[in-house]
Amino acid sequence: MAAPIYSPGLEGVIAGETAISTVEGGLVYRGYSIEDLAEHATFEEVAHLLLHGELPSERELAAFRGRLNESADTPQALVELLAKIPAGVPMMDVMRTAASALAHWDPDAADNSHAANLRKSEHLLAQLPIVMAARYRLAHGKRPVAYDSKLSLAGNILWMLFEKAPSARLAKAMDVSLILYAEHEFNASTFAARVVCSTLSDVHSSITAAIGALKGPLHGGANEAVMGVLMEVGTAQKAEAWIRNALSQKRRIMGFGHRVYKTGDPRAAYLRTLCRELAAETGHEDMEAMADTIETIVQSEKGLPPNLDWPSARLYYYMGLEVDLYTPLFVLSRVVGWSAHVIEQLDNNRLIRPRARYTGPAPRKWLHIKNR
Ligand code: SDX
């Protein structure tokens, strides 16, 4: 047994093996680069690749989309619960509740076989967008809009939110963001999911735990926090003064830095062009100029490149999406990666149980309460 190693936050520690993706030398999903996938694939093809191990043939894609369409429904009792959750509850909290609740109506809930876990993963992939859109509409005093089996998952997200047929341009932008957010090796929320299912717990418990982990602003919650930064800065003209002041106060600038990518997040690089194009089409050039100024100064002063959340927040803003939906959109995509890891863990499981270095009091004698 090798001497136990200790690394705060498990930095640099190899905590397991996976065949699903690697972040070494760029981001690769089961051998395909995310640049190729974002350029040429649809999110459904990428979801099939991550869950089933291969890009689908036309027949397999049609069958996969057919299963998603069959699963694209949520129990009326859950929709009624979504209407009863108090106004103002963050959408990420609603997603956490819904992922857990959906288990109660899933006939495979107690079955941890590979086939059942795949079915449950496909159910959640189709159901979570419906939950998010239904809650969004109910919270705005509108009735939910039914899923349209003729649209893609990306197109349905926009259709069910706005009841307006999405332009091909916006549906494609959403699709690209879902591909880029889908999977990222042993990030905190994925690792949380693997820890939970390593006890032989179930898919829904693992996904619920992952949503809880993703919510934090050091992780998925950063894309909403990035929008807070951009709103606080206000205009490109104020950007330099704002960022220099923030850095002088040692503030953590949301959307920058990464535990693994030290020379840049390839996903952020990929989204840069799409962001710029959509900004021009929607009249948000000033926000792009603001972002450029902040990015240049954070890079030069702190040596910190932007991560995916830095451009994705702007992309969603240009698409007219409310900030409260940004991290839930990350959930709708990452549920694929989480599920793939849960299935992989359960297919070849060993309980995940690390050790801790003890820093508490030395052994001491019992003290009766009268003497304390
Ligand atoms: C995601 O892991 C994944 O794969 C996650 C993800 C995925 O796809 O699943 O990529 C998605 O979560 C992206 C990250 C989103 N989070 C943010 O944008 C929040 C801001 N970023 C930071 O909090 C930070 O960069 C982390 C949390 C992302 C990484 O932190 P680490 O590896 O623990 O590094 P650290 O906090 O120890 O920082 C090292 C140094 C520190 O300076 P010193 O105290 O040593 O002088 O860098 C500084 C930090 O202060 N630093 C920052 C900074 N990030 C690091 N300083 C200012 N602003 C920042 N954003």
Side-chain angles (χ1 to χ4, degrees):
M1 177 73 174
I5 49 168
Y6 171 49
S7 172
L10 299 183
E11 179 154 20
V13 170
I14 301 288
E17 293 181 322
T18 183
I20 300 167
S21 73
T22 182
V23 294
E24 289 296 331
L27 178 54
V28 171
Y29 295 170
R30 297 209 192 266
Y32 296 94
S33 76
I34 47 116
E35 290 81 5
D36 275 353
L37 294 171
E39 196 63 34
H40 305 296
T42 61
F43 175 56
E44 282 85 347
E45 288 176 283
V46 170
H48 188 282
L49 170 67
L50 290 169
L51 289 172
H52 297 272
E54 297 295 337
L55 284 172
S57 64
E58 280 178 294
R59 187 180 54 76
E60 287 165 333
L61 181 59
F64 182 57
R65 293 202 51 163
R67 294 196 300 273
L68 294 178
N69 288 339
E70 278 158 33
S71 311
D73 188 16
T74 44
Q76 186 50 32
L78 179 56
V79 176
E80 286 158 18
L81 170 64
L82 293 175
K84 291 190 174 76
I85 292 173
V89 169
M91 187 62 84
M92 271 304 275
D93 293 5
V94 174
M95 299 302 283
R96 187 191 61 216
T97 300
S100 180
L102 281 165
H104 309 328
W105 287 276
D106 194 311
D108 285 321
D111 182 345
N112 244 351
S113 67
H114 182 95
N117 287 339
L118 269 175
R119 283 195 299 273
K120 287 182 279 188
S121 303
E122 292 180 355
H123 295 162
L124 283 167
L125 176 57
Q127 291 166 331
L128 290 173
I130 297 170
V131 163
M132 186 190 81
R135 167 65 184 180
Y136 175 82
R137 302 236 348 142
L138 290 164
H140 286 73
K142 297 176 183 168
R143 59 170 179 66
V145 171
Y147 177 95
D148 180 344
S149 58
K150 295 185 297 304
L151 294 174
S152 65
L153 280 169
N156 259 300
I157 290 168
L158 296 168
W159 161 248
M160 294 189 293
L161 284 172
F162 303 126
E163 199 173 20
K164 195 163 145 263
S167 67
R169 178 76 166 141
L170 287 187
K172 175 67 178 163
M174 176 60 74
D175 205 63
V176 168
S177 81
L178 296 177
I179 290 170
L180 295 177
Y181 264 134
E183 160 60 13
H184 213 240
E185 200 219 55
F186 275 16
N187 60 87
S189 54
T190 297
F191 193 63
R194 289 192 79 129
V195 168
V196 168
C197 71
S198 79
T199 70
L200 298 186
S201 182
D202 59 82
V203 166
H204 287 85
S205 300
S206 305
I207 300 302
T208 303
I211 293 173
L214 189 74
K215 172 184 175 179
L218 293 188
H219 188 14
N223 62 12
E224 295 183 11
V226 164
M227 209 63 229
V229 166
L230 296 172
M231 290 296 143
E232 187 182 328
V233 176
T235 64
Q237 189 265 332
K238 295 176 185 166
E240 176 159 1
W242 185 90
I243 188 60
R244 291 199 183 284
N245 177 52
L247 291 176
S248 68
Q249 292 174 354
K250 293 250 175 278
R251 272 180 68 170
R252 203 159 270 269
I253 315 302
M254 295 289 115
F256 289 90
H258 199 278
R259 173 60 64 79
V260 173
Y261 294 131
K262 295 305 178 192
T263 57
D265 184 334
R267 302 166 297 179
Y270 188 89
L271 270 190
R272 185 184 298 280
T273 310
L274 183 56
C275 246
R276 203 169 300 309
E277 289 167 355
L278 222 52
E281 291 164 28
T282 55
H284 288 105
E285 291 92 337
D286 188 68
M287 185 170 278
E288 283 301 291
M290 185 202 311
D292 286 349
T293 301
I294 292 170
E295 209 173 298
T296 305
I297 293 171
V298 173
Q299 182 79 49
S300 60
E301 299 299 313
K302 295 284 290 185
L304 288 170
N307 57 55
L308 172 58
D309 294 315
W310 181 244
S312 61
R314 301 199 312 275
L315 188 77
Y316 289 152
Y317 183 75
Y318 302 154
M319 297 173 72
L321 293 159
E322 269 185 28
V323 179
D324 191 39
L325 296 175
Y326 291 11
T327 313
L329 285 165
F330 197 152
V331 171
L332 302 188
S333 165
R334 189 55 63 87
V335 67
V336 173
W338 292 331
S339 301
H341 280 273
V342 166
I343 291 167
E344 183 179 65
Q345 180 71 33
L346 286 170
D347 282 352
N348 178 22
N349 186 47
R350 185 139 204 283
L351 176 70
I352 296 173
R353 198 280 188 217
R355 290 293 321 282
R357 173 177 289 169
Y358 178 67
T359 59
R364 47 186 170 168
K365 286 259 177 278
W366 163 254
L367 211 50
H368 193 279
I369 191 160
K370 288 188 176 31
N371 305 322
R372 289 178 213 154

